[in-house]
Amino acid sequence: MFSQTNKVPFFSIIIPMYNSELYIASTINSVISQSFIDYEVLVINDGSTDKSADIVARYTDERIFLISQNNAGVSAARNKGLSKAKGKYIAFLDSDDYWFPEHLQQAFLFLSSNR
């Protein structure tokens, strides 16, 4: 499922995930509901033993990538995401959190006006 184009997204959103089947769909849905759309989502499956990876794999949005690794902890999962990220800026989101629809737009406006 992981194959990126040469396009550089503005944001790389890194979501470390471990046994998050109850929350991961809400988390991803909050990202794909953003008004700002220039991003990639790297969901790092940190050895989940539940159906988390299956839930992520059902998404057909080509900006969403599922990367799996053996369980090594949240820091290792974030670092794996950083090693794969192509975006100009990095955003971290936990697998049981969500963003309001204007979150990335507000971050973009702030970053664009404070260079």
Side-chain angles (χ1 to χ4, degrees):
M1 183 177 205
F2 184 76
S3 69
Q4 293 178 299
T5 64
N6 290 331
K7 182 186 176 311
V8 176
F10 193 82
F11 290 107
S12 288
I13 301 162
I14 299 171
I15 304 174
M17 176 180 73
Y18 178 76
N19 289 349
S20 302
E21 71 179 315
L22 298 178
Y23 313 105
I24 192 62
S26 294
T27 300
I28 292 173
N29 290 340
S30 81
V31 175
I32 60 179
S33 296
Q34 293 295 301
S35 59
F36 186 85
I37 61 170
D38 188 11
Y39 60 80
E40 66 178 354
V41 179
L42 306 173
V43 181
I44 313 302
N45 179 26
D46 189 37
S48 293
T49 58
D50 64 1
K51 296 189 184 324
S52 300
D54 296 335
I55 293 167
V56 176
R58 288 187 209 131
Y59 284 88
T60 57
D61 189 314
E62 60 190 28
R63 298 170 297 177
I64 299 172
F65 304 95
L66 175 62
I67 303 165
S68 293
Q69 67 179 24
N70 291 331
N71 183 260
V74 67
S75 296
R78 286 187 180 116
N79 287 337
K80 172 73 91 172
L82 285 169
S83 75
K84 302 291 185 181
K86 302 290 184 196
K88 184 174 182 177
Y89 292 96
I90 303 296
F92 292 109
L93 180 62
D94 289 334
S95 62
D96 62 349
D97 288 340
Y98 67 93
W99 285 337
F100 290 107
E102 297 296 317
H103 179 81
L104 288 179
Q105 181 66 33
Q106 293 299 315
F108 169 77
L109 292 173
F110 177 82
L111 292 167
S112 296
S113 65
N114 289 289
R115 291 183 183 192

mmCIF file with all atom_site columns, all heavy atoms in Angstrom, residues 96-113:
data_model
loop_
_atom_site.group_PDB
_atom_site.id
_atom_site.type_symbol
_atom_site.label_atom_id
_atom_site.label_alt_id
_atom_site.label_comp_id
_atom_site.label_asym_id
_atom_site.label_entity_id
_atom_site.label_seq_id
_atom_site.pdbx_PDB_ins_code
_atom_site.Cartn_x
_atom_site.Cartn_y
_atom_site.Cartn_z
_atom_site.occupancy
_atom_site.B_iso_or_equiv
_atom_site.pdbx_formal_charge
_atom_site.auth_seq_id
_atom_site.auth_comp_id
_atom_site.auth_asym_id
_atom_site.auth_atom_id
_atom_site.pdbx_PDB_model_num
ATOM 1   N N   . ASP A 1 96  ? -5.725  7.916  18.449 1.00 0.00 ? 96  ASP A N   1
ATOM 2   C CA  . ASP A 1 96  ? -7.011  8.035  19.144 1.00 0.00 ? 96  ASP A CA  1
ATOM 3   C C   . ASP A 1 96  ? -7.438  9.493  19.289 1.00 0.00 ? 96  ASP A C   1
ATOM 4   O O   . ASP A 1 96  ? -8.281  9.821  20.114 1.00 0.00 ? 96  ASP A O   1
ATOM 5   C CB  . ASP A 1 96  ? -6.961  7.356  20.515 1.00 0.00 ? 96  ASP A CB  1
ATOM 6   C CG  . ASP A 1 96  ? -5.941  7.979  21.451 1.00 0.00 ? 96  ASP A CG  1
ATOM 7   O OD1 . ASP A 1 96  ? -5.115  8.799  20.998 1.00 0.00 ? 96  ASP A OD1 1
ATOM 8   O OD2 . ASP A 1 96  ? -5.956  7.645  22.652 1.00 0.00 ? 96  ASP A OD2 1
ATOM 9   N N   . ASP A 1 97  ? -6.866  10.375 18.474 1.00 0.00 ? 97  ASP A N   1
ATOM 10  C CA  . ASP A 1 97  ? -7.201  11.799 18.490 1.00 0.00 ? 97  ASP A CA  1
ATOM 11  C C   . ASP A 1 97  ? -7.855  12.199 17.184 1.00 0.00 ? 97  ASP A C   1
ATOM 12  O O   . ASP A 1 97  ? -7.910  11.414 16.240 1.00 0.00 ? 97  ASP A O   1
ATOM 13  C CB  . ASP A 1 97  ? -5.946  12.643 18.714 1.00 0.00 ? 97  ASP A CB  1
ATOM 14  C CG  . ASP A 1 97  ? -5.415  12.539 20.133 1.00 0.00 ? 97  ASP A CG  1
ATOM 15  O OD1 . ASP A 1 97  ? -6.183  12.140 21.028 1.00 0.00 ? 97  ASP A OD1 1
ATOM 16  O OD2 . ASP A 1 97  ? -4.237  12.844 20.340 1.00 0.00 ? 97  ASP A OD2 1
ATOM 17  N N   . TYR A 1 98  ? -8.327  13.438 17.114 1.00 0.00 ? 98  TYR A N   1
ATOM 18  C CA  . TYR A 1 98  ? -8.903  13.947 15.874 1.00 0.00 ? 98  TYR A CA  1
ATOM 19  C C   . TYR A 1 98  ? -8.618  15.435 15.775 1.00 0.00 ? 98  TYR A C   1
ATOM 20  O O   . TYR A 1 98  ? -8.268  16.079 16.756 1.00 0.00 ? 98  TYR A O   1
ATOM 21  C CB  . TYR A 1 98  ? -10.411 13.699 15.802 1.00 0.00 ? 98  TYR A CB  1
ATOM 22  C CG  . TYR A 1 98  ? -11.203 14.483 16.821 1.00 0.00 ? 98  TYR A CG  1
ATOM 23  C CD1 . TYR A 1 98  ? -11.737 15.721 16.500 1.00 0.00 ? 98  TYR A CD1 1
ATOM 24  C CD2 . TYR A 1 98  ? -11.395 13.986 18.103 1.00 0.00 ? 98  TYR A CD2 1
ATOM 25  C CE1 . TYR A 1 98  ? -12.441 16.456 17.447 1.00 0.00 ? 98  TYR A CE1 1
ATOM 26  C CE2 . TYR A 1 98  ? -12.096 14.711 19.043 1.00 0.00 ? 98  TYR A CE2 1
ATOM 27  C CZ  . TYR A 1 98  ? -12.619 15.945 18.706 1.00 0.00 ? 98  TYR A CZ  1
ATOM 28  O OH  . TYR A 1 98  ? -13.299 16.659 19.641 1.00 0.00 ? 98  TYR A OH  1
ATOM 29  N N   . TRP A 1 99  ? -8.768  15.936 14.549 1.00 0.00 ? 99  TRP A N   1
ATOM 30  C CA  . TRP A 1 99  ? -8.599  17.366 14.278 1.00 0.00 ? 99  TRP A CA  1
ATOM 31  C C   . TRP A 1 99  ? -9.927  17.958 13.837 1.00 0.00 ? 99  TRP A C   1
ATOM 32  O O   . TRP A 1 99  ? -10.705 17.315 13.137 1.00 0.00 ? 99  TRP A O   1
ATOM 33  C CB  . TRP A 1 99  ? -7.590  17.583 13.161 1.00 0.00 ? 99  TRP A CB  1
ATOM 34  C CG  . TRP A 1 99  ? -6.162  17.379 13.551 1.00 0.00 ? 99  TRP A CG  1
ATOM 35  C CD1 . TRP A 1 99  ? -5.611  17.452 14.795 1.00 0.00 ? 99  TRP A CD1 1
ATOM 36  C CD2 . TRP A 1 99  ? -5.083  17.092 12.660 1.00 0.00 ? 99  TRP A CD2 1
ATOM 37  N NE1 . TRP A 1 99  ? -4.256  17.238 14.735 1.00 0.00 ? 99  TRP A NE1 1
ATOM 38  C CE2 . TRP A 1 99  ? -3.911  17.018 13.434 1.00 0.00 ? 99  TRP A CE2 1
ATOM 39  C CE3 . TRP A 1 99  ? -4.985  16.904 11.292 1.00 0.00 ? 99  TRP A CE3 1
ATOM 40  C CZ2 . TRP A 1 99  ? -2.665  16.756 12.881 1.00 0.00 ? 99  TRP A CZ2 1
ATOM 41  C CZ3 . TRP A 1 99  ? -3.740  16.644 10.734 1.00 0.00 ? 99  TRP A CZ3 1
ATOM 42  C CH2 . TRP A 1 99  ? -2.589  16.579 11.532 1.00 0.00 ? 99  TRP A CH2 1
ATOM 43  N N   . PHE A 1 100 ? -10.154 19.212 14.209 1.00 0.00 ? 100 PHE A N   1
ATOM 44  C CA  . PHE A 1 100 ? -11.281 19.943 13.664 1.00 0.00 ? 100 PHE A CA  1
ATOM 45  C C   . PHE A 1 100 ? -10.983 20.252 12.195 1.00 0.00 ? 100 PHE A C   1
ATOM 46  O O   . PHE A 1 100 ? -9.812  20.320 11.786 1.00 0.00 ? 100 PHE A O   1
ATOM 47  C CB  . PHE A 1 100 ? -11.529 21.223 14.469 1.00 0.00 ? 100 PHE A CB  1
ATOM 48  C CG  . PHE A 1 100 ? -12.063 20.951 15.848 1.00 0.00 ? 100 PHE A CG  1
ATOM 49  C CD1 . PHE A 1 100 ? -11.259 21.122 16.962 1.00 0.00 ? 100 PHE A CD1 1
ATOM 50  C CD2 . PHE A 1 100 ? -13.365 20.502 16.025 1.00 0.00 ? 100 PHE A CD2 1
ATOM 51  C CE1 . PHE A 1 100 ? -11.745 20.867 18.237 1.00 0.00 ? 100 PHE A CE1 1
ATOM 52  C CE2 . PHE A 1 100 ? -13.862 20.236 17.293 1.00 0.00 ? 100 PHE A CE2 1
ATOM 53  C CZ  . PHE A 1 100 ? -13.044 20.414 18.399 1.00 0.00 ? 100 PHE A CZ  1
ATOM 54  N N   . PRO A 1 101 ? -12.015 20.451 11.384 1.00 0.00 ? 101 PRO A N   1
ATOM 55  C CA  . PRO A 1 101 ? -11.827 20.556 9.925  1.00 0.00 ? 101 PRO A CA  1
ATOM 56  C C   . PRO A 1 101 ? -10.896 21.664 9.442  1.00 0.00 ? 101 PRO A C   1
ATOM 57  O O   . PRO A 1 101 ? -10.349 21.574 8.339  1.00 0.00 ? 101 PRO A O   1
ATOM 58  C CB  . PRO A 1 101 ? -13.248 20.789 9.406  1.00 0.00 ? 101 PRO A CB  1
ATOM 59  C CG  . PRO A 1 101 ? -14.129 20.193 10.440 1.00 0.00 ? 101 PRO A CG  1
ATOM 60  C CD  . PRO A 1 101 ? -13.433 20.412 11.748 1.00 0.00 ? 101 PRO A CD  1
ATOM 61  N N   . GLU A 1 102 ? -10.666 22.697 10.221 1.00 0.00 ? 102 GLU A N   1
ATOM 62  C CA  . GLU A 1 102 ? -9.800  23.801 9.794  1.00 0.00 ? 102 GLU A CA  1
ATOM 63  C C   . GLU A 1 102 ? -8.374  23.707 10.356 1.00 0.00 ? 102 GLU A C   1
ATOM 64  O O   . GLU A 1 102 ? -7.577  24.618 10.168 1.00 0.00 ? 102 GLU A O   1
ATOM 65  C CB  . GLU A 1 102 ? -10.424 25.150 10.208 1.00 0.00 ? 102 GLU A CB  1
ATOM 66  C CG  . GLU A 1 102 ? -11.757 25.432 9.546  1.00 0.00 ? 102 GLU A CG  1
ATOM 67  C CD  . GLU A 1 102 ? -11.626 25.580 8.032  1.00 0.00 ? 102 GLU A CD  1
ATOM 68  O OE1 . GLU A 1 102 ? -10.680 26.227 7.572  1.00 0.00 ? 102 GLU A OE1 1
ATOM 69  O OE2 . GLU A 1 102 ? -12.487 25.029 7.319  1.00 0.00 ? 102 GLU A OE2 1
ATOM 70  N N   . HIS A 1 103 ? -8.056  22.618 11.023 1.00 0.00 ? 103 HIS A N   1
ATOM 71  C CA  . HIS A 1 103 ? -6.751  22.506 11.695 1.00 0.00 ? 103 HIS A CA  1
ATOM 72  C C   . HIS A 1 103 ? -5.578  22.728 10.735 1.00 0.00 ? 103 HIS A C   1
ATOM 73  O O   . HIS A 1 103 ? -4.703  23.568 10.987 1.00 0.00 ? 103 HIS A O   1
ATOM 74  C CB  . HIS A 1 103 ? -6.620  21.139 12.374 1.00 0.00 ? 103 HIS A CB  1
ATOM 75  C CG  . HIS A 1 103 ? -5.315  20.946 13.066 1.00 0.00 ? 103 HIS A CG  1
ATOM 76  N ND1 . HIS A 1 103 ? -5.069  21.457 14.317 1.00 0.00 ? 103 HIS A ND1 1
ATOM 77  C CD2 . HIS A 1 103 ? -4.180  20.323 12.674 1.00 0.00 ? 103 HIS A CD2 1
ATOM 78  C CE1 . HIS A 1 103 ? -3.830  21.163 14.672 1.00 0.00 ? 103 HIS A CE1 1
ATOM 79  N NE2 . HIS A 1 103 ? -3.270  20.467 13.697 1.00 0.00 ? 103 HIS A NE2 1
ATOM 80  N N   . LEU A 1 104 ? -5.533  21.989 9.657  1.00 0.00 ? 104 LEU A N   1
ATOM 81  C CA  . LEU A 1 104 ? -4.406  22.115 8.725  1.00 0.00 ? 104 LEU A CA  1
ATOM 82  C C   . LEU A 1 104 ? -4.420  23.454 7.990  1.00 0.00 ? 104 LEU A C   1
ATOM 83  O O   . LEU A 1 104 ? -3.357  24.020 7.710  1.00 0.00 ? 104 LEU A O   1
ATOM 84  C CB  . LEU A 1 104 ? -4.387  20.962 7.723  1.00 0.00 ? 104 LEU A CB  1
ATOM 85  C CG  . LEU A 1 104 ? -3.986  19.606 8.275  1.00 0.00 ? 104 LEU A CG  1
ATOM 86  C CD1 . LEU A 1 104 ? -4.027  18.550 7.174  1.00 0.00 ? 104 LEU A CD1 1
ATOM 87  C CD2 . LEU A 1 104 ? -2.605  19.646 8.916  1.00 0.00 ? 104 LEU A CD2 1
ATOM 88  N N   . GLN A 1 105 ? -5.598  23.973 7.676  1.00 0.00 ? 105 GLN A N   1
ATOM 89  C CA  . GLN A 1 105 ? -5.688  25.279 7.018  1.00 0.00 ? 105 GLN A CA  1
ATOM 90  C C   . GLN A 1 105 ? -5.093  26.357 7.912  1.00 0.00 ? 105 GLN A C   1
ATOM 91  O O   . GLN A 1 105 ? -4.333  27.212 7.454  1.00 0.00 ? 105 GLN A O   1
ATOM 92  C CB  . GLN A 1 105 ? -7.144  25.613 6.676  1.00 0.00 ? 105 GLN A CB  1
ATOM 93  C CG  . GLN A 1 105 ? -7.315  26.949 5.963  1.00 0.00 ? 105 GLN A CG  1
ATOM 94  C CD  . GLN A 1 105 ? -6.696  26.959 4.584  1.00 0.00 ? 105 GLN A CD  1
ATOM 95  O OE1 . GLN A 1 105 ? -6.677  25.954 3.893  1.00 0.00 ? 105 GLN A OE1 1
ATOM 96  N NE2 . GLN A 1 105 ? -6.177  28.097 4.180  1.00 0.00 ? 105 GLN A NE2 1
ATOM 97  N N   . GLN A 1 106 ? -5.421  26.315 9.199  1.00 0.00 ? 106 GLN A N   1
ATOM 98  C CA  . GLN A 1 106 ? -4.876  27.297 10.138 1.00 0.00 ? 106 GLN A CA  1
ATOM 99  C C   . GLN A 1 106 ? -3.358  27.144 10.278 1.00 0.00 ? 106 GLN A C   1
ATOM 100 O O   . GLN A 1 106 ? -2.632  28.137 10.329 1.00 0.00 ? 106 GLN A O   1
ATOM 101 C CB  . GLN A 1 106 ? -5.563  27.166 11.501 1.00 0.00 ? 106 GLN A CB  1
ATOM 102 C CG  . GLN A 1 106 ? -7.026  27.551 11.490 1.00 0.00 ? 106 GLN A CG  1
ATOM 103 C CD  . GLN A 1 106 ? -7.227  28.997 11.088 1.00 0.00 ? 106 GLN A CD  1
ATOM 104 O OE1 . GLN A 1 106 ? -6.525  29.891 11.556 1.00 0.00 ? 106 GLN A OE1 1
ATOM 105 N NE2 . GLN A 1 106 ? -8.185  29.231 10.216 1.00 0.00 ? 106 GLN A NE2 1
ATOM 106 N N   . ALA A 1 107 ? -2.884  25.917 10.329 1.00 0.00 ? 107 ALA A N   1
ATOM 107 C CA  . ALA A 1 107 ? -1.431  25.683 10.401 1.00 0.00 ? 107 ALA A CA  1
ATOM 108 C C   . ALA A 1 107 ? -0.746  26.192 9.141  1.00 0.00 ? 107 ALA A C   1
ATOM 109 O O   . ALA A 1 107 ? 0.311   26.830 9.216  1.00 0.00 ? 107 ALA A O   1
ATOM 110 C CB  . ALA A 1 107 ? -1.150  24.195 10.605 1.00 0.00 ? 107 ALA A CB  1
ATOM 111 N N   . PHE A 1 108 ? -1.344  25.928 7.987  1.00 0.00 ? 108 PHE A N   1
ATOM 112 C CA  . PHE A 1 108 ? -0.789  26.407 6.714  1.00 0.00 ? 108 PHE A CA  1
ATOM 113 C C   . PHE A 1 108 ? -0.711  27.931 6.703  1.00 0.00 ? 108 PHE A C   1
ATOM 114 O O   . PHE A 1 108 ? 0.318   28.502 6.331  1.00 0.00 ? 108 PHE A O   1
ATOM 115 C CB  . PHE A 1 108 ? -1.650  25.909 5.547  1.00 0.00 ? 108 PHE A CB  1
ATOM 116 C CG  . PHE A 1 108 ? -1.309  26.550 4.241  1.00 0.00 ? 108 PHE A CG  1
ATOM 117 C CD1 . PHE A 1 108 ? -0.178  26.159 3.540  1.00 0.00 ? 108 PHE A CD1 1
ATOM 118 C CD2 . PHE A 1 108 ? -2.114  27.555 3.716  1.00 0.00 ? 108 PHE A CD2 1
ATOM 119 C CE1 . PHE A 1 108 ? 0.145   26.762 2.335  1.00 0.00 ? 108 PHE A CE1 1
ATOM 120 C CE2 . PHE A 1 108 ? -1.799  28.159 2.516  1.00 0.00 ? 108 PHE A CE2 1
ATOM 121 C CZ  . PHE A 1 108 ? -0.667  27.767 1.820  1.00 0.00 ? 108 PHE A CZ  1
ATOM 122 N N   . LEU A 1 109 ? -1.788  28.603 7.092  1.00 0.00 ? 109 LEU A N   1
ATOM 123 C CA  . LEU A 1 109 ? -1.792  30.072 7.102  1.00 0.00 ? 109 LEU A CA  1
ATOM 124 C C   . LEU A 1 109 ? -0.732  30.620 8.047  1.00 0.00 ? 109 LEU A C   1
ATOM 125 O O   . LEU A 1 109 ? -0.023  31.578 7.712  1.00 0.00 ? 109 LEU A O   1
ATOM 126 C CB  . LEU A 1 109 ? -3.176  30.590 7.489  1.00 0.00 ? 109 LEU A CB  1
ATOM 127 C CG  . LEU A 1 109 ? -4.286  30.339 6.467  1.00 0.00 ? 109 LEU A CG  1
ATOM 128 C CD1 . LEU A 1 109 ? -5.646  30.739 7.046  1.00 0.00 ? 109 LEU A CD1 1
ATOM 129 C CD2 . LEU A 1 109 ? -4.004  31.066 5.164  1.00 0.00 ? 109 LEU A CD2 1
ATOM 130 N N   . PHE A 1 110 ? -0.609  30.026 9.212  1.00 0.00 ? 110 PHE A N   1
ATOM 131 C CA  . PHE A 1 110 ? 0.406   30.467 10.169 1.00 0.00 ? 110 PHE A CA  1
ATOM 132 C C   . PHE A 1 110 ? 1.813   30.269 9.601  1.00 0.00 ? 110 PHE A C   1
ATOM 133 O O   . PHE A 1 110 ? 2.638   31.178 9.631  1.00 0.00 ? 110 PHE A O   1
ATOM 134 C CB  . PHE A 1 110 ? 0.264   29.725 11.499 1.00 0.00 ? 110 PHE A CB  1
ATOM 135 C CG  . PHE A 1 110 ? 1.340   30.092 12.475 1.00 0.00 ? 110 PHE A CG  1
ATOM 136 C CD1 . PHE A 1 110 ? 1.235   31.242 13.224 1.00 0.00 ? 110 PHE A CD1 1
ATOM 137 C CD2 . PHE A 1 110 ? 2.471   29.292 12.619 1.00 0.00 ? 110 PHE A CD2 1
ATOM 138 C CE1 . PHE A 1 110 ? 2.240   31.600 14.120 1.00 0.00 ? 110 PHE A CE1 1
ATOM 139 C CE2 . PHE A 1 110 ? 3.487   29.647 13.505 1.00 0.00 ? 110 PHE A CE2 1
ATOM 140 C CZ  . PHE A 1 110 ? 3.368   30.817 14.256 1.00 0.00 ? 110 PHE A CZ  1
ATOM 141 N N   . LEU A 1 111 ? 2.079   29.079 9.085  1.00 0.00 ? 111 LEU A N   1
ATOM 142 C CA  . LEU A 1 111 ? 3.407   28.798 8.556  1.00 0.00 ? 111 LEU A CA  1
ATOM 143 C C   . LEU A 1 111 ? 3.727   29.667 7.346  1.00 0.00 ? 111 LEU A C   1
ATOM 144 O O   . LEU A 1 111 ? 4.868   30.117 7.181  1.00 0.00 ? 111 LEU A O   1
ATOM 145 C CB  . LEU A 1 111 ? 3.519   27.316 8.194  1.00 0.00 ? 111 LEU A CB  1
ATOM 146 C CG  . LEU A 1 111 ? 3.506   26.347 9.375  1.00 0.00 ? 111 LEU A CG  1
ATOM 147 C CD1 . LEU A 1 111 ? 3.301   24.918 8.909  1.00 0.00 ? 111 LEU A CD1 1
ATOM 148 C CD2 . LEU A 1 111 ? 4.782   26.483 10.189 1.00 0.00 ? 111 LEU A CD2 1
ATOM 149 N N   . SER A 1 112 ? 2.750   29.925 6.508  1.00 0.00 ? 112 SER A N   1
ATOM 150 C CA  . SER A 1 112 ? 2.965   30.721 5.316  1.00 0.00 ? 112 SER A CA  1
ATOM 151 C C   . SER A 1 112 ? 3.227   32.186 5.639  1.00 0.00 ? 112 SER A C   1
ATOM 152 O O   . SER A 1 112 ? 3.951   32.879 4.911  1.00 0.00 ? 112 SER A O   1
ATOM 153 C CB  . SER A 1 112 ? 1.750   30.639 4.389  1.00 0.00 ? 112 SER A CB  1
ATOM 154 O OG  . SER A 1 112 ? 1.586   29.313 3.935  1.00 0.00 ? 112 SER A OG  1
ATOM 155 N N   . SER A 1 113 ? 2.660   32.690 6.717  1.00 0.00 ? 113 SER A N   1
ATOM 156 C CA  . SER A 1 113 ? 2.838   34.105 7.058  1.00 0.00 ? 113 SER A CA  1
ATOM 157 C C   . SER A 1 113 ? 3.974   34.340 8.041  1.00 0.00 ? 113 SER A C   1
ATOM 158 O O   . SER A 1 113 ? 4.259   35.488 8.383  1.00 0.00 ? 113 SER A O   1
ATOM 159 C CB  . SER A 1 113 ? 1.530   34.675 7.617  1.00 0.00 ? 113 SER A CB  1
ATOM 160 O OG  . SER A 1 113 ? 1.211   34.046 8.830  1.00 0.00 ? 113 SER A OG  1
#
